[in-house]
C-alpha cells in the first residue's frame, strides 16, 4: 500500500474552504474562447457557474464551441445570459430577437408573456444554456430612468407582476431558471448603476406597495433566482447598496419574503459598487450579506483570494458559504437535463410570435387619418440615432434602422439619419428640407434626454405639415409633443417591431 499523506489540519481546512468558496464565483471569460490561464483557473478551482455576454458568443459557431467547452470543464454547470428581449439580448443570429418587456406589457396579454418566456428558454436550451437573467421586475415609474426604460413591463406594480410572473413561468416550464431583477427595484431613479450608485429615498410603505410587489409575486410563482441591484434604498439600508446589504438580502429577501432560491449579484465591475469597494471587496460584502453567486467579470483570482482571507480571519463564516453552495448545487441538479432540439434556435414559430407581440403592442393615435401614407414621393423622413445606450445593451445600435427598412419599399425615399443631439447647422438643414416636403415622418429615440432633439422636433411640428411622430424606443417621447395629431408608440426597435412599423406606415 502507498504511504498515506497527512496534512496539518489548518492546511486541509484551508484547501477545503478554497474549493467551497470557488463555487460562489460566476466566471466570465475575457473573449469568445478560453485562454489557457482561464481554463486552468476553472479546472483548478472546480468552477461550476458562468455568465456569458455578447463578446463571449459573437456568432453561432463560437457560441457552440465555448459552451461545449464549459460543459467539458465543469460538471453540470450553470451557464447564464441576459436574454431579456428588446435592447438587451446576447444570443447570436439566427436566434429570435423577441420584443422588449415593455412591448409585452403594452399587449396586456399574460399568454403572450408566457409564450415569450417559453420561446426564450427553448432557444437557450438549444445552445445548452440553462439560466436566463430575466425577467426585469423593476416598475419603471420614472420616465427619466436611463437604464431600465423599455426593459420593464410597465410603470405599475400590477402590470409588472402579472406579465413578469407569466414570463418566468414560461421560461421555467422549459427547464431554464429565470432570474427576477433588480431587487428591491431599480425603476424610480435617474442614475445608471453602471456609472454611479443610485439612491432611492422612498418610505417603506411606498416600497412595499410598488417596488417590492412584483418580487413578492415572483417568489410566490416559484422563481428560481433573484438578482439584487446595485442601488441604495435608504428606508431599507441607508449605508450599503442593496446587493451588499445584509438587512436587505438576508433580512428582507430571505427572512421576510421567504425566498429560498439562488441570489446572484449584478456584475461587480459596475461603478455603483466597484468604485467604492473594488471588485474583490464588493464580492466579499455581497457574500457576507447573503448572496450566493458572485458575478465576477474580471479579477477572478483576486476575488477568490479575498474570500479566502475573509474566511481565514473570521470575517466571513464558512457556515454562511456552505448554505450558498447547497442552494447552488441543488439548482445545478435541477437544471441538468439534456439540451433541447437545436432547431429551436430561430424557429419560425418563435419569429411568428415576435411579430404577433409587436402587432398587438404597437399604439397608433391618428386623428387626421394620415395612415397609411400614400404620397411617399412628397414625404420627408427623419430618424434620430440612439444616444443613451447602456452597457447592459452590449453593443451600439445601428443608425437608420427604420430608414433602411423603408428604403426596401421606397428606394428613392427623401430621408435623413440624424445624431441623437444634432447641432444648430444640422437643424437648419433639416428644417429647410422639411419645408419643401408635403408630409413629415419623425422617428425619435429618447427625446426626453436631449434638448436639441426636442427643439428640432418642436420646430418640425410647428411647420404645420401633416406629420407622423414615432417613438421608436421609450413612449415617453410622445408626451412632450401634445400638438402632434398622428403618433405611434413602438416600445422598442427590434426587427419584428420595425417590420410592423413599416406595415403601419405603408
Amino acid at each position: 500500500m502507498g504511504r498515506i499523506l497527512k496534512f496539518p489540519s489548518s492546511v486541509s481546512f484551508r484547501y477545503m474552504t478554497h474549493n467551497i468558496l470557488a463555487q460562489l464565483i460566476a466566471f466570465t471569460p475575457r473573449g469568445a474562447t478560453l485562454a489557457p490561464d482561464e481554463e486552468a483557473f476553472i479546472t483548478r478551482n472546480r468552477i461550476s457557474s458562468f455568465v456569458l455576454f455578447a463578446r463571449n458568443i459573437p456568432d453561432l459557431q463560437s457560441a457552440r464551441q465555448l459552451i461545449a467547452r464549459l460543459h467539458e470543464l465543469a460538471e453540470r454547470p450553470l451557464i447564464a445570459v441576459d436574454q431579456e428581449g428588446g435592447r438587451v439580448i446576447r444570443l447570436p443570429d439566427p436566434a429570435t430577437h423577441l420584443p422588449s418587456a415593455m412591448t409585452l406589457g403594452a399587449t396586456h396579454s399574460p399568454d403572450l408573456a408566457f409564450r415569450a418566456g417559453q420561446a426564450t428558454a427553448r432557444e437557450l436550451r438549444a445552445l445548452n444554456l440553462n439560466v436566463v437573467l430575466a425577467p426585469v421586475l423593476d416598475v419603471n415609474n420614472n420616465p427619466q430612468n436611463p437604464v431600465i426604460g423599455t426593459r420593464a413591463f410597465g410603470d405599475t406594480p400590477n402590470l409588472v407582476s402579472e406579465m413578469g410572473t407569466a414570463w418566468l413561468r414560461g421560461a421555467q416550464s422549459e427547464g431554464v431558471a429565470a432570474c427576477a431583477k433588480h431587487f428591491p427595484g431599480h425603476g424610480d431613479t435617474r442614475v445608471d448603476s453602471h456609472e454611479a450608485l443610485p439612491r432611492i429615498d422612498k418610505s417603506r410603505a411606498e416600497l412595499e406597495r410598488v417596488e417590492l410587489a412584483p418580487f413578492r409575486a415572483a417568489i410566490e410563482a416559484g422563481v428560481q433566482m433573484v438578482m439584487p441591484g446595485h442601488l441604495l434604498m435608504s428606508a431599507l439600508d441607508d449605508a450599503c447598496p442593496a446587493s451588499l446589504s445584509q438587512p436587505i438580502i438576508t433580512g428582507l429577501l430571505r427572512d421576510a419574503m421567504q425566498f429560498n432560491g439562488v441570489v446572484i449579484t449584478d456584475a461587480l465591475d459596475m461603478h455603483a459598487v466597484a468604485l467604492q469597494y473594488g471588485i474583490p471587496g464588493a464580492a466579499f460584502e455581497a457574500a457576507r450579506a447573503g448572496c450566493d453567486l458572485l458575478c465576477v467579470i474580471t479579477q477572478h483570482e483576486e476575488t477568490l483570494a479575498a474570500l479566502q482571507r475573509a474566511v481565514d480571519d473570521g470575517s466571513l463564516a464558512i457556515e454562511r458559504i456552505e448554505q450558498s453552495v447547497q442552494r447552488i448545487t441543488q439548482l445545478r441538479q435541477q437544471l441538468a437535463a439534456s439540451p433541447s432540439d437545436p432547431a429551436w434556435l430561430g424557429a419560425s414559430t418563435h419569429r411568428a410570435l415576435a411579430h404577433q407581440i409587436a402587432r398587438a403592442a404597437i399604439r397608433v393615435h391618428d386623428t387626421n387619418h394620415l395612415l397609411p401614407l400614400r404620397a411617399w414621393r412628397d414625404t420627408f423622413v427623419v430618424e434620430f440615432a440612439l444616444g443613451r445606450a447602456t452597457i447592459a445593451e452590449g453593443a451600439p445600435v445601428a443608425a437608420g434602422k427604420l430608414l433602411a427598412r423603408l428604403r426596401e419599399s421606397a428606394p428613392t425615399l427623401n430621408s435623413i439619419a440624424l445624431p441623437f443631439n444634432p447641432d444648430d447647422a444640422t437643424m437648419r438643414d433639416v428644417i429647410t428640407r422639411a419645408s419643401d416636403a408635403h408630409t413629415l415622418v419623425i422617428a425619435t429615440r429618447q427625446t426626453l434626454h436631449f434638448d436639441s432633439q426636442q427643439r428640432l422636433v418642436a420646430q418640425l411640428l410647428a411647420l404645420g405639415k401633416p406629420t407622423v411622430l414615432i417613438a421608436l424606443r421609450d413612449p415617453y417621447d410622445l408626451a412632450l409633443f401634445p400638438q402632434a395629431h398622428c403618433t405611434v408608440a413602438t416600445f422598442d426597435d427590434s426587427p419584428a417591431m420595425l417590420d410592423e412599423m413599416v406595415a403601419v406606415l405603408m
Side-chain angles (χ1 to χ4, degrees), residues 27-29 31-35 38-39 42-43 46-53 56-57 62-81 127-129 332:
F27 185 94
T28 295
T33 58
L34 290 170
E38 293 178 312
E39 289 209 4
I42 292 167
T43 54
R46 300 179 185 176
I47 300 295
S48 62
S49 300
F50 305 89
V51 176
L52 303 183
F53 293 89
N56 303 126
I57 47 177
S62 298
R64 285 178 169 157
Q65 290 176 346
L66 176 61
I67 294 165
R69 185 59 180 152
L70 294 178
H71 278 275
E72 291 172 357
L73 295 174
E75 183 181 3
R76 296 180 177 177
L78 299 177
I79 310 180
V81 292
L127 285 173
N128 219 353
L129 302 166
R332 289 169 59 200

Side-chain angles (χ1 to χ4, degrees), residues 365-482:
H365 178 73
D366 185 14
T367 57
N368 290 345
H369 307 291
L370 286 178
L371 299 175
L373 293 173
R374 293 173 178 84
W376 282 98
R377 187 177 302 173
D378 300 318
T379 299
F380 180 48
V381 184
V382 175
E383 180 180 353
F384 290 93
L386 178 67
R388 198 182 277 268
T390 72
I391 295 173
E393 297 186 47
V397 177
K401 291 169 67 174
L402 176 60
L403 295 182
R405 275 174 164 72
L406 288 172
R407 290 193 189 107
E408 291 174 4
S409 300
T412 59
L413 181 69
N414 182 18
S415 62
I416 185 170
L418 293 175
F420 57 86
N421 219 11
D423 59 26
D424 290 343
T426 301
M427 292 171 64
R428 287 193 296 269
D429 176 59
V430 171
I431 293 297
T432 299
R433 292 178 62 178
S435 299
D436 296 331
H438 176 270
T439 303
L440 305 178
V441 175
I442 308 169
T444 70
R445 284 186 174 87
Q446 298 177 313
T447 306
L448 197 65
H449 298 290
F450 304 109
D451 291 339
S452 69
Q453 188 176 150
Q454 288 184 40
R455 286 189 283 115
L456 179 54
V457 173
Q459 291 173 29
L460 289 169
L461 290 170
L463 294 174
K465 296 176 180 291
T467 303
V468 181
L469 180 62
I470 306 167
L472 280 178
R473 300 272 285 227
D474 301 35
Y476 313 114
D477 289 2
L478 301 180
L480 297 172
F481 308 105

Side-chain angles (χ1 to χ4, degrees), residues 476-498:
Y476 313 114
D477 289 2
L478 301 180
L480 297 172
F481 308 105
Q483 69 271 41
H485 295 295
C486 182
T487 62
V488 185
T490 66
F491 308 100
D492 74 19
D493 52 5
S494 63
M497 183 56 82
L498 289 174

Side-chain angles (χ1 to χ4, degrees), residues 230 243-244 265 268 273-274 277-288 294:
H230 299 318
S243 52
L244 315 184
T265 70
L268 292 173
V273 293
Y277 299 91
I279 292 175
F284 158 68
E285 295 290 349
R288 185 168 63 169
L294 311 172

Side-chain angles (χ1 to χ4, degrees), residues 47-129:
I47 300 295
S48 62
S49 300
F50 305 89
V51 176
L52 303 183
F53 293 89
R55 69 174 184 270
N56 303 126
I57 47 177
D59 55 69
L60 186 57
Q61 182 178 358
S62 298
R64 285 178 169 157
Q65 290 176 346
L66 176 61
I67 294 165
R69 185 59 180 152
L70 294 178
H71 278 275
E72 291 172 357
L73 295 174
E75 183 181 3
R76 296 180 177 177
L78 299 177
I79 310 180
V81 292
D82 293 285
Q83 190 72 6
E84 299 173 13
R87 65 199 240 196
V88 179
I89 58 170
R90 301 291 183 250
L91 299 191
D93 288 337
T96 305
H97 189 158
L98 287 162
S100 69
M102 191 171 283
T103 306
L104 277 168
T107 72
H108 292 272
S109 171
D111 176 64
L112 287 176
F114 180 93
R115 290 163 59 195
Q118 187 179 51
T120 300
R122 285 173 173 173
E123 300 214 5
L124 263 65
R125 286 190 57 211
L127 285 173
N128 219 353
L129 302 166

